[in-house]
Amino acid sequence: LNQPTTPEIPGTVKPTDKPTDKPAPPTTPPVEPGLESKSSDLVTIPATINKPLDAAGQTAKDVTVGPHGRLFNVILDGTIINQGIIRDAILQPGCHITGGILAGTIINNGCLLTDVEFQGAQMTGGTLAGNLKASLDTTLQDVKLAGKAHLVGGQLQGQIQGDANNRPLLEGVTMTAGCQVSAVVIDQDLDNPCTLTNVEFRGNHLKGGTLAGIILNHGQGTLQDVSL
């Protein structure tokens, strides 16, 4: 006897049929234009950087950051010529950075910075020299100022030490509570929450804080509510 057959429904798959479609291979997300890919643990850091580059925490030594260069997340050593932007960096002892903009978190373990500009930076440690500019939201903590350095702007925290033989010049700075500032020239009016030691004051009005050592008031400014 012939067995009854089940009518075939269009669109159904028979048990003996094998699917022919294969799973689509995974896609690689596109790399943002201008940024090096971080698909590998190692990033090639060229001697001259002319575009944005995330160094992924690696060390760059004796490099130049060109006018269009932006170097991020890096450890810097040796001689660095900066014509662009360096952001979020650890600076090794003995290194020297000249020029350009520094931003983000800068941990300075003993590097000399000359003729640089800080934009929204938070830097701790190191030595500043030459002509320096800092935005109002930049914090400079526990830094040394080389002889004849000229710093305009920024917030000063911790120990700020100048050069007693060639006092660096401060203009337009904000001093934060508890700071210790020594051997500098202050050429501005100042609401002072700090201890100033062996400084020269050229402003018109200094209010508050503690004065210690030899204070030169060459501008004949008014000293108000100060402790000696």
Side-chain angles (χ1 to χ4, degrees), residues 163-177:
D163 185 325
N165 295 320
N166 293 290
R167 289 187 178 95
L169 178 63
L170 303 182
E171 291 186 278
V173 302
T174 300
M175 297 186 183
T176 59

Side-chain angles (χ1 to χ4, degrees), residues 25 30 43 84 109 144 173 206:
V43 176
N109 293 320
K144 294 180 179 180
V173 302
L206 187 152

Side-chain angles (χ1 to χ4, degrees), residues 56-80:
Q58 295 183 91
T59 298
K61 184 174 182 180
D62 299 331
V63 298
T64 296
V65 181
H68 302 290
R70 298 170 67 187
L71 182 58
F72 310 107
N73 302 323
V74 66
I75 300 172
L76 292 175
D77 199 359
T79 300
I80 311 296

